[in-house]
Amino acid sequence: MFDSFRKYNKIIMVFLFLLIIPSFVLFGVDRYQNEGAGDKVARVAGEDITRPEWDLQHRNEVDRIRQQAPNIEPALLDSDAARYASLERMVRNRVLAAAAAKSNMTISEDRLTRLFAEDTGLASFRTADNKFDRERFMRATGRTPEQYEASVRADLATQQVLLGVSGTAFATPAQAELTLKAFFDQREIQVARFNPADFLAKVEVKDSELEDFYKQHVAQYRVPEQATVQYLLLDMDAVKKNIVVSESDLRSYYDQNAARFGTKEERRASHILISAPAGASSADKEKARAKAQALLADVRKAPASFAEVARKNSQDPGSAEKGGDLDFVARGAMVKPFEDAMFALKKGEISDVVESEFGYHVILLTDIKPAAVPPFEQIRTRLEDEVKSQQATQEFAKAAETLTELVYQQPDSLQPAADKLKLTLRTASNVARTPAPGATGVMASRNFLNALFAPDSLERKHNTEAIEVGSSQLAAGRVTNYSPARELPFAEVKDKVKSQLVAERAAAMARSEGEAKLKAWQADPKGAAFEKPVTISRLDAQSQPIPVIEGALRADTDKLPSLVGVDLGTQGYAVVRVLKNVARTAPTAEVAKQETDQFTQALAAAENDAYYEMLKKRFKAEILVPKAAELSGDASRR
């Protein structure tokens, strides 16, 4: 990579050798092995999952999601929670694989063959002569067919582990009814709200109280660290802009792919079908063939009568009423014997009797649409874009290497890399250590932000290395200005402190007023003042806060009406009068069955989870890194 290193690599190797050998002698091999233990992030059945394996798994999942949903926010995929979820799935797969192996669960070749034959996704990788295009499959999936087959085998085997539990789950009607009744519970209620806004005018605060509140909550009045950064983004679009395609290359590409840019030849035919199913006897088949031969003789004598003969005699219900017309079709739309015969005819010709899996056909070719290829100039833009896209895949790797070298060799500026690769040098202000809500693109990449806020970047204002921020996307940046986190002085945030303290006390006043009213109304309901009655449920909250719904549904209904107090926190207080239970309209038999089925599925999922937890203990599965909420920046390092 670097000329000086290449020139003196032998001297450097000797120097490194002299350094490394004494370190082994002094500290021992065990120390190096123990340091490697830090890369273990989980363990299942005595086998470790390492951080590189975790990183690779997460990258593969992210790439797959990006292919399926290109517009998804990168920050969602690059979060600590998303990475931890990837690790949990790895552990789950390892546990189920260990259970499958322990139970000697295997997948038969017949089942696998059947599965692949029915997979419509795999059908797209077959050529016109029904051969599997191995190279195209590897380019599209990033895996060899053998790797794909192994993953399918593993998936099917692990599915069998849980199928023994979920496949036997059932719920009695009584169980389902009891659970669903609680879920669909309804109450008619009245609500009296005590809102903090109604008490704001009554709140008085002194400056000394504001200062005390500020000191108790000073952490809320901090300005987070921020940086102004310059950065470069290398992606496929940037690489394509630098690619120049010659006219001769475009012409050559056009000639090689002309058929793909145009339309295939299509033919329109009519047919008469005399059915003879594959399981028919020899006598029945011979009888059907004889009838087809007789009809063939008739239409050859009078070709103009073909449509009428088809209407009266064809046993193809889809085309008989249309005089046997099948409309225009291209190759691949019909069964092979029929297709071969149809494409061998000239317009107006009638075929001999053609046997297929459906029976015996007499075919009349009525029209031909020849293949059409658009002229070069008409699709020149498309051709250029395709050629550039193909070349960009190769050029991206070279550009990535150049970017990596330049940001390292000239660490104090990104301009040389921008000039060399013709990239736009961009600036971002108020950049924080973590992605801002709604951030997209480069500034949504946690790895890129971690590199920007690394000590070397902050203290020396050096370039970061080239960081992967997306599929075929690399970014390098440098901090040009940095402001550490600081506490805002009281004088600067006094108004904000006052608003928060007043709101807090107003909420407390609302709660006190509500609690007092609850006691008074419980003693004398006549003086109670409530809003109009509404019928609420977990499915229809009628704009009421969730705590009001839960409070009403949990109220004692043995004696109605009853009063319930609900603390709404910063939203004040509510007194809820539960008037009556409201019976649910009985569902139709079909809806009731759907609900029972959904309950059974939920029960099966719960049993699966319980069984998996048991398997985790059996195979001693453990995750060795903190849970997502506790992860530091180190958990995201590559």
Side-chain angles (χ1 to χ4, degrees):
M1 184 181 293
F2 308 112
D3 292 338
S4 60
F5 186 85
R6 291 195 187 101
K7 185 175 181 181
Y8 301 110
N9 62 346
K10 290 184 179 179
I11 297 173
I12 292 172
M13 289 295 288
V14 172
F15 177 70
L16 291 175
F17 182 78
L18 293 175
L19 282 178
I20 293 171
I21 292 302
S23 66
F24 270 90
V25 173
L26 290 172
F27 301 106
V29 175
D30 288 342
R31 175 168 177 179
Y32 284 85
Q33 293 174 336
N34 291 335
E35 287 179 353
D39 265 346
K40 297 173 184 176
V41 295
R43 184 178 296 113
V44 177
E47 297 290 332
D48 293 325
I49 296 176
T50 64
R51 189 176 295 277
E53 289 176 316
W54 179 19
D55 291 340
L56 177 61
Q57 175 71 16
H58 183 64
R59 282 199 300 272
N60 289 340
E61 289 187 6
V62 167
D63 288 343
R64 185 167 61 252
I65 293 171
R66 279 178 177 148
Q67 289 175 358
Q68 296 170 350
N71 296 325
I72 192 170
E73 286 191 15
L76 294 176
L77 304 178
D78 200 29
S79 66
D80 289 335
R83 285 179 49 75
Y84 196 83
S86 295
L87 180 58
E88 288 181 315
R89 283 189 289 274
M90 285 187 76
V91 170
R92 182 181 177 86
N93 291 339
R94 295 281 182 98
V95 168
L96 296 179
K102 184 75 173 176
S103 302
N104 296 318
M105 291 182 176
T106 58
I107 306 302
S108 70
E109 292 296 331
D110 287 345
R111 184 182 176 190
L112 205 62
T113 301
R114 232 176 14 255
L115 185 71
F116 289 159
E118 296 168 357
D119 191 330
T120 55
L122 291 179
S124 64
F125 295 104
R126 296 197 177 277
T127 60
D129 56 355
N130 206 35
K131 291 182 179 178
F132 190 78
D133 192 331
R134 182 186 180 90
E135 295 300 321
R136 186 152 61 90
F137 177 85
M138 292 171 63
R139 285 196 303 271
T141 66
R143 293 188 291 181
T144 65
E146 291 77 18
Q147 289 171 329
Y148 176 74
E149 179 182 338
S151 70
V152 172
R153 282 185 185 276
D155 288 345
L156 291 175
T158 55
Q159 286 172 19
Q160 288 182 344
V161 173
L162 295 178
L163 190 61
V165 176
S166 61
T168 57
F170 72 95
T172 65
Q175 284 178 311
E177 182 183 0
L178 187 63
T179 305
L180 293 171
K181 182 178 180 298
F183 182 73
F184 289 113
D185 252 359
Q186 299 180 103
R187 301 280 190 274
E188 184 179 287
I189 65 171
Q190 289 177 292
V191 180
R193 288 287 298 271
F194 300 87
N195 297 309
D198 298 333
F199 297 85
L200 290 174
K202 300 178 183 180
V203 178
E204 295 181 2
V205 292
K206 300 176 183 177
D207 283 352
S208 59
E209 292 175 320
L210 293 178
E211 290 184 23
D212 288 342
F213 187 83
Y214 166 78
K215 291 174 183 177
Q216 294 167 9
H217 302 85
V218 68
Q220 296 179 18
Y221 309 110
R222 288 174 60 88
V223 175
E225 61 181 340
Q226 293 180 339
T228 300
V229 303
Q230 291 180 331
Y231 67 96
L232 299 174
L233 174 63
L234 176 68
D235 57 13
M236 285 296 183
D237 288 338
V239 173
K240 283 168 68 174
K241 289 178 182 177
N242 296 331
I243 295 174
V244 178
V245 183
S246 68
E247 190 74 9
S248 61
D249 286 344
L250 284 180
R251 292 279 181 183
S252 176
Y253 186 77
Y254 173 77
D255 293 339
Q256 294 170 9
N257 296 274
R260 184 164 61 83
F261 297 124
T263 57
K264 295 180 180 179
E265 177 186 339
E266 292 184 339
R267 295 193 165 208
R268 185 170 193 165
S270 296
H271 82 137
I272 300 168
L273 171 66
I274 304 302
S275 296
S281 65
S282 299
D284 288 342
K285 285 185 176 182
E286 193 55 43
K287 183 178 178 181
R289 179 190 289 274
K291 184 174 181 180
Q293 290 285 7
L295 294 173
L296 172 62
D298 292 342
V299 295
R300 279 190 169 161
K301 290 177 184 175
S305 67
F306 193 98
E308 186 61 30
V309 172
R311 267 189 287 269
K312 291 180 179 179
N313 298 278
S314 180
Q315 295 171 349
D316 176 10
S319 66
E321 61 183 16
K322 296 183 290 186
D325 182 37
L326 297 172
D327 209 341
F328 281 101
V329 294
R331 280 193 180 274
M334 299 295 186
V335 292
K336 196 171 187 308
F338 188 101
E339 180 180 280
D340 289 345
M342 180 176 66
F343 276 85
L345 296 173
K346 295 178 181 178
K347 184 176 178 179
E349 280 188 341
I350 298 174
S351 70
D352 292 331
V353 172
V354 177
E355 182 180 0
S356 79
E357 59 195 83
F358 301 104
Y360 299 94
H361 309 261
V362 176
I363 306 168
L364 167 65
L365 187 65
T366 57
D367 205 354
I368 299 175
K369 279 186 184 177
V373 180
F376 174 82
E377 291 301 333
Q378 184 177 328
I379 58 170
R380 192 182 192 286
T381 302
R382 178 184 171 187
L383 293 169
E384 188 172 14
D385 185 67
E386 286 193 13
V387 173
K388 281 187 174 183
S389 295
Q390 291 181 6
Q391 293 183 10
T393 303
Q394 301 171 354
E395 293 299 320
F396 181 83
K398 298 177 185 177
E401 183 175 356
T402 300
L403 177 64
T404 301
E405 290 182 358
L406 290 177
V407 297
Y408 177 82
Q409 291 172 346
Q410 303 187 50
D412 297 326
S413 176
L414 292 170
Q415 195 62 53
D419 295 340
K420 177 75 173 179
L421 296 169
K422 298 180 182 178
L423 299 176
T424 301
L425 186 57
R426 312 179 194 201
T427 301
S429 303
N430 302 323
V431 178
R433 190 178 289 266
T434 56
T440 59
V442 174
M443 292 306 155
S445 170
R446 186 177 295 270
N447 290 336
F448 184 62
L449 295 177
N450 286 343
L452 284 173
F453 283 86
D456 192 51
S457 298
L458 291 180
E459 295 168 10
R460 303 174 67 183
K461 304 293 190 294
H462 277 183
N463 300 334
T464 69
E465 62 181 348
I467 306 291
E468 183 182 5
V469 296
S471 180
S472 298
Q473 291 183 325
L474 291 178
R478 63 184 297 267
V479 174
T480 57
N481 187 45
Y482 173 71
S483 300
R486 64 186 179 90
E487 294 172 1
L488 295 172
F490 172 71
E492 195 172 327
V493 295
K494 182 178 179 180
D495 290 342
K496 184 178 180 181
V497 172
K498 183 176 181 179
S499 296
Q500 289 181 316
L501 180 56
V502 168
E504 187 175 290
R505 290 189 175 179
M509 286 182 176
R511 182 166 54 254
S512 296
E513 179 74 8
E515 290 171 345
K517 290 293 185 183
L518 174 62
K519 289 181 180 178
W521 294 343
Q522 285 173 334
D524 182 11
K526 294 178 182 178
F530 289 94
E531 299 170 357
K532 292 181 180 180
V534 291
T535 300
I536 58 89
S537 70
R538 289 186 174 90
L539 298 179
D540 185 4
Q542 292 286 347
S543 302
Q544 298 293 338
I546 295 302
V548 167
I549 305 301
E550 293 299 325
L553 292 173
R554 290 173 181 166
D556 185 2
T557 57
D558 289 340
K559 186 178 180 181
L560 295 176
S562 65
L563 296 180
V564 178
V566 180
D567 187 350
L568 299 177
T570 58
Q571 296 180 41
Y573 196 83
V575 177
V576 182
R577 179 156 65 180
V578 181
L579 300 175
K580 62 181 179 180
N581 286 325
V582 179
R584 179 195 180 199
T585 304
T588 63
E590 182 180 356
V591 171
K593 183 179 184 307
Q594 290 175 353
E595 291 173 354
T596 302
D597 290 344
Q598 289 173 346
F599 175 74
T600 303
Q601 290 172 7
L603 187 64
E607 291 180 351
N608 268 351
D609 289 341
Y611 183 57
Y612 170 63
E613 291 300 321
M614 184 196 73
L615 290 176
K616 280 174 64 178
K617 293 178 182 178
R618 178 181 297 175
F619 293 102
K620 299 178 180 178
E622 56 180 333
I623 293 179
L624 307 176
V625 295
K627 200 166 178 63
E630 305 164 7
L631 285 172
S632 64
D634 178 66
S636 295
R637 71 176 174 84
R638 288 292 186 263

